[in-house]
Amino acid sequence: MAGPLANKHVVLGVTGSIACYKALDLASKLVQAGALVDTIMSYGATQFVTPLAFRSITHRAVVTDSFDPDSEYSVEHVALAQQADVIVVAPATVHCIAKLALGLADDPLTTTIIAATAPLVVAPAMDGNMYDHPATQANIATLKERGVVIAGPGIGRLASGLSGVGRLLETPELLGYISYAMGKDGDFAGRTVVVSAGGTMEPIDPVRVITNHSSGKMGYALAEAARDRGANVVLVTAPTNLADPALVKVVHVRTAEQMGKAVQEHATKADALVMAAAVADYKPAVEAGQKIKKNDDELNISLAKTEDILKTAKGNFVRVGFAAESENLVENAKSKVTSKKLDLIVANDITAEGSGFGSDTNKVTLIDRDLAVEELPLLTKYDVSNRILDRVKALFKD
Ligand SMILES: Cc1cc2nc3c(=O)[nH]c(=O)nc-3n(C[C@H](O)[C@H](O)[C@H](O)COP(=O)(O)O)c2cc1C
């Protein structure tokens, strides 16, 4: 299985919040992502959900008692601490956060955390006033200073019925934080990568647009993969159905022109620009001010060429383009490398099985500025991203 969590040992700490039920979903998604999940529950957590539920989802023992003579682990806080690739406390109560800030170790979770060197993610979940309390704020600040990744909390409806800050983040966001925490000191730490994604929308009139079938999945996977290697990532995206990746600066645009401006603004400080977006080559020369009426049998719309963002973007960064082709893949991609002065192009045959728009996998060919060709096998878009980033890393200008 591919992805940042495959075969990773994740210690999932669950403490006594009403949001405990959401930790079951997190455990399930972690397992589906290939992680080996060891759950440690506080006494409070066991009052909300049962250890059996976690055991059934993770297929592994659940720890609830430091002094259990029948434990499957020798000295379990040390055993789990040593094998952990990452520890995540979700939900984390006010009480647990306070104990962590003080370095207390009076239960199996806090004892494991203090015995571990693995990255720690803490996802607070609590009522708004509990979160706002100066003690909680000071404790969170202490944890941040120590390098703990604080995930959230989110804003929205709280269990009390009130609305405010204190919601446990949703599972996809938590997964993003966990991947980020594992890779934040990775080989892209200190680098800025700008990625574009999605298919631009060029307005015909206030109702209609010209667009294409790009789902944005390749660009979003690239943004996540770069984040998971420690990069600061800016994702400039045309509209997609995808959720914003956690810990990525996301700039939403619609048209090629807007994308060009946003890319240029961020690329100035970037180490790499990866243009995975499907940018319209042509747009309606004039956008009608009112909805065009259905009067004549034919409607002719005159199109004007859009600016080539990758060709015109100014700055000293690694330039990576994408070429989605339906014929003569390598020849067409090679001519783009030369005409746009690219460092690398990722060519994909959109007619190939398991490739292209909307799919979770892609089969691409990488062509560098010397026109050397490397054909990659069918891979997940996340794995393709890492292969691209490996090449980008070797091309960094300083
Ligand atoms: C119904 C109920 C819901 C609770 N929800 C939360 C919560 O969301 N966040 C929180 O910090 N504490 C919450 N508490 C309080 C904690 O359970 C309590 O502070 C407990 O001592 C936490 O211990 P633990 O961190 O060891 O699990 C809740 C308590 C009850 C009875």
Side-chain angles (χ1 to χ4, degrees), residues 79-115:
L80 291 178
Q82 277 176 351
Q83 69 190 28
D85 291 302
V86 63
I87 301 180
V88 51
V89 187
T93 58
V94 164
H95 181 235
C96 177
I97 289 169
K99 289 200 295 184
L100 293 176
L102 280 172
L104 298 183
D106 68 341
D107 66 8
L109 177 60
T110 47
T111 313
T112 301
I113 288 172
I114 214 151

Side-chain angles (χ1 to χ4, degrees), residues 269-284:
K269 296 155 279 181
D271 296 287
L273 168 61
V274 187
M275 284 292 297
V279 183
D281 294 324
Y282 293 91
K283 64 174 185 178

Side-chain angles (χ1 to χ4, degrees), residues 14-19 42-45 48 92-96 99 107 125-127 130:
V14 186
T15 60
S17 155
I18 189 66
S42 70
Y43 168 75
F48 290 92
T93 58
V94 164
H95 181 235
C96 177
K99 289 200 295 184
D107 66 8
M126 60 206 56
D127 164 70
M130 293 168 88

